[in-house]
Amino acid sequence: MAAISRTILALRKDPRLLRIPPYLSALCIIVGLVWLLLLPLNEYSRQTYISENALLPGQVHTYFGGSEQNIFNAYKHEVRALAGKSQDDISRKLSEILKSSGLKVARQRYEYQAAGNIYGGENVYAILHAPRGDATEAIVLVAAWRDMDEELNQSGVALVLTLARYFKRWSLWSKDIIFLITPDSKAGPQAWVDAYHDAHSPPSVASLPMKSGALQGAIVVDNVLDHRFESLHITYDGINGQLPNLDLFNTAVSIASGQMGIGVSLQRMWKHGDTYRERLQTMLRGMVSQGLGHTSGPHSSFIPYHIDAITLQAVGDGWQDEMAMGRCVESLFRSLNNLLEHLHQSFFFYLLMQANRFVSIGTYLPSAMLVAVNFTIMAIALWLQSGRPPETRIALPKKGEKRSESEMVLIKEDGMTAVIPKQELATLERHLFLPVLVVLGLHFLGVIPLSIFNNTNHSNFSRALLVFNLFSFALPDLLAVLISSYAPLTHQQRLLTKCFSLVFLGMFLATLATLNFSLAFLIGLVASPLSFLGVPPSELRQAEARSSWTIVTRILSSITLHALAPGVVLFAVCTYSGVSVEEVLTQAAFGWNVSGLWTQVIVWCVWWPAWLVGGMFVSPLRS
């Protein structure tokens, strides 16, 4: 036992322990990825359920139908007649229709500029004051004149106009109902909800002349079809990966599939057989949408203000008509009307893999944390290595010759004794200023692409990305030459520079995982090679390895890192998905200037600087 204790004590300073972190880091990445792949299994996911008992989904009898079909057809005819008319003509006619239903009507003009495009129009909205309420709470029913694909939302707008007339006849409402019709699906809802909370920027966005109480929820109706539909597609992703309360989604699914017999789909999975593959595909699609953080529908603008919102989109060719969709909306509003407080009991962080199956944050979060912690493990290893003296060849004593006592030291601790070479116990003072300056400087350098891609005209995005990628490819080599020429880094400073870069990346991704799990996981997975590439070798190995093989290794490492550059990944993803780079960057610029999107901050100010540090240390031009 004493021999074992002495061995353990001696191993505490053994440099061979520093060979373990790379394997431990790789293990964390593998376990994190496997953890994610296990989530669609029944053992790790759960059936959805309603947490808020007051909702009582599907417990009321709906009356929308019958003669309302004729009114809907008349309004649909009016909407078709307005197609192609000016914004003033459309707003005037919609105002007349809402006023004829006995509602108070108001308008709001707005205009945004982003990437050389102008997003302008006029919102029209009406307020139905609750006969049994005190105007302290409200629910919003939204229809965009044009949907996300710029198609005329003829049946959706007509249905909202019909429901406005229908709801006015009922005296059971305890919350005000706001009927909002916007010219588009992105800028219009954003302008209205910003102005409702006095967070707009006049004069580009006008103030609202009329308001109600605190908004408790929002339902968006999207039906561009001119025929009967098959099922409802529910969109729920918010800006920056925020999600509505799961109870709202579950209520909509329960009413549509349970009470009305209408099929429900999500993440554009039109046919779902509830197999492992389809669950995984649905979950991954949701992660990509959440990671991008873009506006996925008019409902996305409401979620940052803690207003639970979803979009109901009619899809397919079936036997369900607009009256069935209207009854779904009526029943959903009746459930929201029952609430005594804001939705809070169910989950705000979840992954859906089917309309009736989900995974909560407590189950999926460890996968992103494991990917993020691999950077921290390598950073700690580099920190420890930076405090060790340079490796030297220690001549072993010849046979029969004893090692000098001055080279050894006796250590006693907790009743254990060990004899260790003095060199193993020596520590070096760490010089932190230059490594910290390099890392901070590179992170501030991320402001350049952030500014370029948020302010460039949309017609120049493709050329701008090409030029930036060429500049980005050459930048690590240029930085390596400049630093070697004017401020050469010692081996210790190289270790500390890589250490600080990895610890910042790991710390940021671990924090981000609690807010936007998908973005943290995806970036962590793509950036994971940074833990293994660009790690400065020891001075002894560096001196021993000045060979053509080492140059080849550097070149291969450099090629690998260049293939994983943020700009290259963006181009590859756009090519694979069939979406133009111009469209993606235009949407990102719109999100930055209008919706408060911060995905590009993470890409250019966190991921790209860490990539630059790795590229500097694998550069073949580094001395």
Side-chain angles (χ1 to χ4, degrees):
M1 181 62 72
I4 295 176
S5 300
R6 286 193 295 271
T7 304
I8 294 175
L9 183 60
L11 284 175
R12 291 173 58 185
K13 297 292 184 177
D14 195 326
R16 289 175 295 181
L17 288 178
L18 294 179
R19 300 177 186 175
I20 297 177
Y23 299 100
L24 186 59
S25 180
L27 180 63
C28 288
I29 297 172
I30 295 172
V31 173
L33 184 59
V34 172
W35 191 300
L36 185 77
L37 297 177
L38 291 175
L39 294 179
L41 298 176
N42 289 331
E43 292 79 6
Y44 300 96
S45 58
R46 287 191 281 174
Q47 198 80 9
T48 57
Y49 57 93
I50 304 292
S51 298
E52 179 58 71
N53 295 325
L55 285 169
L56 298 174
Q59 299 299 310
V60 297
H61 182 74
T62 54
Y63 297 93
F64 186 75
S67 61
E68 304 299 331
Q69 178 73 60
N70 299 325
I71 298 171
F72 170 82
N73 292 333
Y75 285 153
K76 189 174 181 180
H77 178 76
E78 296 280 0
V79 171
R80 284 176 179 170
L82 290 172
K85 296 291 183 66
S86 65
Q87 182 63 59
D88 289 336
D89 292 338
I90 295 174
S91 299
R92 188 183 308 110
K93 186 61 178 180
L94 293 176
S95 298
E96 291 176 1
I97 294 175
L98 291 171
K99 285 181 180 177
S100 66
S101 299
L103 302 173
K104 295 181 180 180
V105 183
R107 302 186 200 176
Q108 179 213 19
R109 283 197 171 275
Y110 65 90
E111 182 178 292
Y112 294 109
Q113 293 185 2
N117 294 323
I118 297 178
Y119 305 86
E122 187 176 41
N123 294 321
V124 179
Y125 67 101
I127 299 179
L128 168 60
H129 291 290
R132 298 187 179 187
D134 53 0
T136 58
E137 297 178 336
I139 316 171
V140 188
L141 180 59
V142 187
W145 187 260
R146 294 196 176 275
D147 70 350
M148 293 294 293
D149 298 324
E150 293 299 320
E151 295 184 41
L152 179 62
N153 187 18
Q154 52 182 355
S155 298
V157 173
L159 184 59
V160 169
L161 296 174
T162 308
L163 286 170
R165 181 181 181 276
Y166 173 77
F167 285 170
K168 176 65 177 176
R169 292 163 25 199
W170 289 90
S171 61
L172 51 83
W173 305 111
S174 62
K175 294 177 175 58
D176 291 354
I177 300 178
I178 302 176
F179 303 93
L180 173 63
I181 299 178
T182 63
D184 62 2
S185 295
K186 296 186 298 181
Q190 189 67 51
W192 188 86
V193 74
D194 284 347
Y196 195 92
H197 296 87
D198 296 323
H200 60 298
S201 301
S204 59
V205 178
S207 300
L208 296 183
M210 183 173 59
K211 295 183 182 180
S212 181
L215 303 182
Q216 299 297 303
I219 306 298
V220 181
V221 179
D222 183 3
N223 186 0
V224 301
L225 305 177
D226 195 23
H227 53 76
R228 293 172 178 261
F229 65 93
E230 180 183 8
S231 61
L232 287 177
H233 178 259
I234 301 181
T235 310
Y236 56 92
D237 307 289
I239 297 170
N240 293 322
Q242 298 180 75
L243 302 173
N245 189 274
L246 188 57
D247 267 347
L248 180 62
F249 178 87
N250 292 339
T251 300
V253 172
S254 176
I255 291 172
S257 60
Q259 184 182 12
M260 304 298 169
I262 303 176
V264 175
S265 60
L266 62 152
Q267 301 300 342
R268 298 188 177 275
M269 293 288 293
W270 313 123
K271 300 295 182 180
H272 203 298
D274 201 25
T275 62
Y276 170 83
R277 181 177 180 179
E278 290 168 321
R279 287 184 183 181
L280 179 63
Q281 188 175 358
T282 304
M283 183 183 71
L284 293 179
R285 287 188 179 188
M287 287 180 60
V288 171
S289 179
Q290 185 186 27
L292 292 175
H294 65 301
T295 300
S296 60
H299 67 280
S300 298
S301 302
F302 291 85
I303 298 179
Y305 288 94
H306 305 289
I307 303 168
D308 302 304
I310 56 174
T311 293
L312 304 179
Q313 180 185 17
V315 295
D317 188 359
W319 58 274
Q320 303 288 352
D321 62 359
E322 296 85 356
M323 296 298 101
M325 190 173 188
R327 287 190 291 272
C328 284
V329 176
E330 178 191 358
S331 184
L332 191 51
F333 267 67
R334 293 282 297 274
S335 292
L336 294 175
N337 188 60
N338 294 335
L339 289 176
L340 299 177
E341 53 187 339
H342 200 84
L343 287 173
H344 66 281
Q345 292 195 20
S346 192
F347 297 95
F348 287 95
F349 299 94
Y350 50 86
L351 293 176
L352 287 168
M353 51 197 65
Q354 199 251 355
N356 296 306
R357 200 152 198 92
F358 79 106
V359 177
S360 64
I361 185 172
T363 306
Y364 67 70
L365 186 61
S367 59
M369 289 298 184
L370 284 169
V371 173
V373 81
N374 97 85
F375 301 108
T376 307
I377 291 173
M378 288 302 299
I380 293 174
L382 293 172
W383 175 263
L384 294 176
Q385 189 175 346
S386 67
R388 290 179 175 271
E391 291 184 20
T392 57
R393 291 296 184 188
I394 302 176
L396 295 175
K398 297 180 180 179
K399 187 174 182 181
E401 183 180 358
K402 294 184 178 180
R403 187 186 294 270
S404 173
E405 294 184 0
S406 60
E407 299 177 2
M408 310 298 291
V409 62
L410 181 66
I411 295 181
K412 296 181 179 180
E413 185 176 331
D414 297 332
M416 296 181 291
T417 305
V419 179
I420 299 176
K422 286 185 177 180
Q423 183 182 359
E424 302 296 335
L425 297 178
T427 57
L428 296 178
E429 180 183 359
R430 295 179 175 92
H431 301 280
L432 307 180
F433 177 74
L434 197 54
V436 170
L437 187 64
V438 171
V439 172
L440 290 181
L442 292 179
H443 279 87
F444 280 112
L445 196 64
V447 175
I448 295 177
L450 183 66
S451 177
I452 290 175
F453 292 115
N454 286 329
N455 297 288
T456 302
N457 190 284
H458 66 94
S459 60
N460 299 323
F461 273 140
S462 298
R463 289 189 293 272
L465 182 62
L466 177 61
V467 172
F468 175 78
N469 279 340
L470 294 176
F471 167 75
S472 186
F473 287 166
L475 187 58
D477 295 331
L478 179 62
L479 290 173
V481 172
L482 289 176
I483 292 177
S484 299
S485 301
Y486 297 100
L489 298 176
T490 64
H491 174 66
Q492 183 196 67
Q493 289 173 328
R494 289 172 182 169
L495 292 173
L496 290 173
T497 302
K498 184 69 175 178
C499 167
F500 294 150
S501 176
L502 290 180
V503 77
F504 183 83
L505 181 61
M507 176 184 65
F508 196 93
L509 292 181
T511 305
L512 178 64
T514 61
L515 301 175
N516 191 336
F517 161 82
S518 302
L519 182 59
F521 183 86
L522 294 174
I523 289 185
L525 200 60
V526 177
S528 57
L530 294 175
S531 295
F532 312 100
L533 299 178
V535 178
S538 66
E539 292 179 331
L540 178 62
R541 293 179 183 175
Q542 192 173 359
E544 293 177 343
R546 297 191 184 278
S547 62
S548 58
W549 175 250
T550 306
I551 301 298
V552 171
T553 303
R554 279 195 190 180
I555 294 175
L556 292 177
S557 300
S558 181
I559 292 174
T560 303
L561 277 185
H562 280 73
L564 295 175
V568 176
V569 172
L570 171 62
F571 181 79
V573 171
C574 290
T575 304
Y576 175 78
S577 58
V579 181
S580 67
V581 172
E582 180 180 329
E583 181 180 350
V584 171
L585 293 178
T586 300
Q587 295 296 330
F590 173 85
W592 173 266
N593 291 283
V594 178
S595 306
L597 180 67
W598 40 255
T599 302
Q600 48 266 66
V601 177
I602 298 164
V603 172
W604 301 122
C605 296
V606 177
W607 177 17
W608 186 62
W611 176 84
L612 284 178
V613 173
M616 276 181 8
F617 292 130
V618 299
S619 172
L621 303 181
R622 179 176 65 84
S623 60

